[in-house]
Amino acid sequence: MTPEQVETLLLDDLPDEATRKRFRKIFARLATGHPFLEANSKYRSFDVSNVSFSQCYACNDIAIWIYDRMVYPVRGEAPLPNPDLPDDIRADYDEASTILELSPRGAAALLRLGIQKLCAHLLGEGGRSVDADIAALVKRGLDARVQQALDVVRVVGNNAVHRGQIDLRDDRATAEKLFGLVNLIAEIEITQRKHIAEMYAALPEGALKAIEKRDGK
């Protein structure tokens, strides 16, 4: 079951809307495929020792440790993903990280796919190719630094790489560049914009009205 399918569940056999809402929330968390902590559980079959859970302060995701070794999520040697990456792109990034050592080419292909999805996310529509997406994003005022980063993606390894395609010339160095580019694009186009919007929204109402008046809104 996907998170989208959870939203369509009727759950008519449950007594009230509050209960249905609670169960939909549980099903949605299960559908992510990620572990999570449930407070005040009344059911326990056995105790588990030498296993620890931690929760990230930045993204709130759960990590599972056996003694001093993190076993979930599986991490390669890639840098941690930007916490503001959309979930589907984060999944591609995480998978690429887990296979970087064994298959740099596969990791690079996943990252190209993730970058294509990231372009579509920024455009608000499905992309055709990195080149076409760059052109469309530039028309919308794309940050020049991100444009340069996307041009690097377009030409690194292969001048005509398609989304998800494995290029036999890709190597570990190429994959490592792509990890950095995914995070760079997300930082500039998602994280920085989010932080600025949050700071602007926190301005006093009088200041916001004065700005709107100044700008003729």
Side-chain angles (χ1 to χ4, degrees), residues 131 151 153-162 167 169:
D131 208 26
D151 279 324
V153 172
R154 185 175 60 84
V155 302
V156 68
N158 185 344
N159 273 333
V161 170
H162 299 291
D167 181 0
R169 290 172 291 182

Side-chain angles (χ1 to χ4, degrees), residues 1 26 42 60 63 86 117 159 173 180 189-190 198:
M1 179 178 294
I26 294 172
K42 299 179 181 179
N60 294 321
K117 290 179 180 179
N159 273 333
E189 286 296 314
I190 300 177
E198 289 172 349

